[in-house]
Structure formats: C-alpha cells, structure tokens
Amino acid sequence: MAEIAAFAGFPMWGVEFYQDLEEDNTREFWAAHKAQWQRDVRDPMRALVLQLEDEFGPAKLFRPNRNLRFSADKSPYKTHQGALAGREKGAGWYLQLGGDGLVVGGGFRAHSPADTARYRAAVDASASGLALEGIVADLEAAGFTLEGATLKTRPKGFDADHPRLDLLRRKEMMALRRVGTPDWLTTPQALDEVRAAWRRVGPLTEWVLEHVATEE
C-alpha cells in the first residue's frame, strides 16, 4: 500500500458525491466516480484515523457496498463512509462522512444478544447504571444525541417502574453529534475537531469497554 499522506481536510466533493449517490445509487454512477471517491473520501478518512490511532486505537473503514442478502432495499452502495476506531468489535469511536456532512461520536453496536444482555445488566446495577445516567446527561447537554436500536416496550425481566427504563429499552447505544459542513471541514482543523469530539464521548466509550465489550 502506498504511504498515506498527512490529513489535510475533507474536500466538499465528498459531501456532494453522497448527495448525488442518494439520487443515483447505481453501479454505473459509482464506477464513474470511484477514482475520485478514493482520493477525496477514502484517503482523507484513512489519513485522519491513522493520525488518531495512538490515542484511540486502530480504525476500521467500512466497505462502501451494502450487504444485500437480507435487505429489502437493493441499492448497492452506502450513502456515507464510516469508520470505527478502537480495539473491541463494534465498540469505540465513530466517524462518518455523508451527504449531510460529518458525524462524530462513539459507543457500541450490538453484534449479539449477549452484548445487549451485558449492557442491560450494567444499566440495572446501581453503580454502573447511575454512572451511565450521568454520562448520558453530560453528552446530551454537549449536543450529542443517543441513537441505536431501541424497544418500544420494556424489556422482559425488568419492572415497568425501573428508574432507568429508557436506558434499558436500548439494545445498543451510540452518542452522535451531527456536525454538518462547517468551514473547518475542508481544512486540517477537522482533525482537531474530531479528536476533541472523541475525547468528549470518551466516558461513554470507556463505560462500554468496561461493561459491554468484555468476555462473558
């Protein structure tokens, strides 16, 4: 693999490309723009996460094509480029570039019922549950929103009057800040902005690593 250049910002072409891809999600459109996608989306993303690796761990860039085997939507390509940094499967610090701009955050995506079971056990326990409540309140005050699969009703085995029922309904938890397209997006300053956001979400990620992303 060729040496990766230092991160210099995300060209606005990438945002515009994903806006167009939402309208024309075809293999022909992708093939016509693949080389520039590699240069203006993939390579800057690789450069950014590499420069943050010492602090947050190695990052995985997600594949641009979608898994169509179990999807009713047969459009072949994802309409954003995501990356997850960290050393545990499905848990860590997240970054995404798409048609709406940049998204930063962290937490975990459940890869098995066991992940959700460990999460709920930690929410139910007084010390770890209260700690998560405080972390979530701080993140929401800082402009992050909680996302991820959530039950509409209470999970089995928990009382309807549980003090942390809203957290227990969650199967997974990602705290995300949708940054959009600020002026610094196309400059090296984007590296510092992502680093600051990842540090801000660090308490949640550390909570996840302690209580969820552990061996049973």
Side-chain angles (χ1 to χ4, degrees):
M1 180 184 295
E3 183 177 350
I4 298 176
F7 177 76
F10 287 107
M12 277 300 296
W13 181 89
V15 174
E16 296 163 359
F17 165 75
Y18 281 114
Q19 292 171 351
D20 291 339
L21 184 63
E22 290 176 1
E23 300 297 326
D24 188 8
N25 198 318
T26 63
R27 291 177 174 84
E28 293 77 15
F29 180 84
W30 180 267
H33 297 87
K34 181 179 179 180
Q36 191 165 358
W37 170 83
Q38 291 173 332
R39 183 173 65 249
D40 288 351
V41 176
R42 184 198 64 184
D43 291 353
M45 184 79 74
R46 282 180 174 174
L48 186 149
V49 297
L50 182 62
Q51 289 183 246
L52 296 176
E53 182 173 335
D54 286 348
E55 182 172 353
F56 299 99
K60 171 187 176 182
L61 268 65
F62 297 111
R63 294 169 60 90
N65 51 299
R66 300 176 65 249
N67 185 342
L68 304 181
R69 289 179 297 171
F70 307 108
S71 175
D73 179 0
K74 298 304 181 182
S75 56
Y77 299 102
K78 299 172 184 175
T79 53
H80 60 265
Q81 175 62 55
L84 184 70
R87 303 185 185 278
E88 301 291 341
K89 182 179 180 181
W93 291 266
Y94 184 68
L95 180 65
Q96 173 182 303
L97 183 73
D100 293 331
L102 199 66
V103 179
V104 292
F108 83 103
R109 295 288 189 189
H111 283 75
S112 71
D115 292 339
T116 299
R118 286 194 297 271
Y119 162 76
R120 287 180 176 153
V123 172
D124 185 39
S126 294
S128 51
L130 288 171
L132 182 60
E133 274 191 309
I135 291 168
V136 165
D138 289 345
L139 287 172
E140 289 180 330
F144 290 83
T145 58
L146 298 184
E147 301 188 19
T150 304
L151 295 176
K152 294 182 179 180
T153 59
R154 66 181 174 89
K156 293 180 180 179
F158 296 98
D159 294 336
D161 60 352
H162 194 289
R164 291 178 291 281
L165 185 60
D166 285 346
L167 292 176
L168 286 170
R169 287 194 180 105
R170 296 186 173 276
K171 297 181 178 181
E172 56 189 10
M173 181 182 290
M174 294 294 290
L176 301 178
R177 180 187 284 164
R178 298 185 177 277
V179 179
T181 55
D183 291 341
W184 50 255
L185 181 65
T186 61
T187 75
Q189 182 185 341
L191 174 66
D192 296 327
E193 298 289 343
V194 172
R195 180 189 289 112
W198 279 6
R199 287 176 176 173
R200 189 68 184 80
V201 83
L204 172 61
T205 303
E206 295 300 330
W207 187 95
V208 166
L209 294 176
E210 179 179 356
H211 299 290
V212 181
T214 56
E215 295 295 330
E216 293 184 280

